[in-house]
Amino acid sequence: YGKATSSVPLKIQFAEVGSSFGPETVSRYLDSTKKTICIAGSLDENFGTQLSEQLGSLAKTYPVTLFGMPTWDNFNFSRSEFSGLEVVYSSPFYYSRTINPLSNRLTEDFTNRMSTKPSDMFYRGYETMLRFAILLLDTKKDVASNLSRKGNTVFTTFDIQPVFKDRSAMTLDYFENKNLYFIKVAGGVKNILW
């Protein structure tokens, strides 16, 4: 709303570090006097782990916030290699198991039956099946035209919208969940940003 009165040029540097690199490779791109935002544009979990470990080892000298991919939701950022590193990644799902009575009950039942705690994939499967089963029961055969309907929220909010191959001809390509959560991990603790 309104015009910006001043602008600060954004300093962006692209770096391709390859598949095997160490802290000395990464540190060439960092500045110890300023906070660096590092965006890792790779879905490869091994690369993401390696980059996080290298940046974590440099975090005391070089303040960094690392933006990663949704596949990083499975990383164990409580490990000592990541201490001092701030990580942000996006996910279409977010489960706060401390405030939801249903997830608490599911965790308890799962743990009693399986002798282990459920992963996020358990919750994803549960909520996806419940949400779309209810939608199928409500709409009978007309599920596709009701996918963007709000409601039937189990744990997370969905915003499923059509994506068109050709908008002028209204040629449908696929449906996509447009709702994303941005999760920040610092000191091994996950918090939702927005």
Side-chain angles (χ1 to χ4, degrees), residues 14-19 25 29 47:
F14 293 92
E16 190 171 320
V17 294
S19 60
T25 305
Y29 302 102
F47 174 81

Side-chain angles (χ1 to χ4, degrees), residues 17-126:
V17 294
S19 60
S20 61
F21 56 91
E24 64 284 342
T25 305
V26 178
S27 65
R28 282 186 275 167
Y29 302 102
L30 304 175
D31 184 344
S32 62
T33 63
K34 297 176 185 168
K35 182 140 193 164
T36 302
I37 304 292
C38 179
I39 301 171
S42 173
L43 292 170
D44 182 2
E45 288 186 37
N46 292 329
F47 174 81
T49 302
Q50 185 179 2
L51 181 60
S52 299
E53 287 173 353
Q54 300 306 328
L55 289 173
S57 71
L58 298 167
K60 287 184 175 136
T61 307
Y62 301 99
V64 174
T65 297
L66 174 60
F67 279 77
M69 302 301 278
T71 54
W72 293 18
D73 199 27
N74 299 321
F75 288 7
N76 180 8
F77 285 110
S78 63
R79 293 179 19 217
S80 62
E81 294 91 346
F82 303 124
S83 67
L85 181 63
E86 186 177 270
V87 178
V88 177
Y89 63 90
S90 65
S91 176
F93 299 95
Y94 178 72
Y95 303 104
S96 176
R97 297 187 184 111
T98 58
I99 59 170
N100 187 309
L102 176 59
S103 66
N104 291 338
R105 178 61 193 259
L106 288 170
T107 300
E108 183 181 313
D109 287 350
F110 188 94
T111 304
N112 289 339
R113 291 175 192 229
M114 303 300 212
S115 300
T116 188
K117 290 194 179 207
S119 70
D120 283 356
M121 292 306 289
F122 169 77
Y123 296 102
R124 288 180 188 188
Y126 181 88

Side-chain angles (χ1 to χ4, degrees), residues 2-20:
K3 290 184 177 181
T5 57
S6 65
S7 63
V8 177
L10 190 59
K11 183 180 174 186
I12 298 175
Q13 183 175 10
F14 293 92
E16 190 171 320
V17 294
S19 60
S20 61

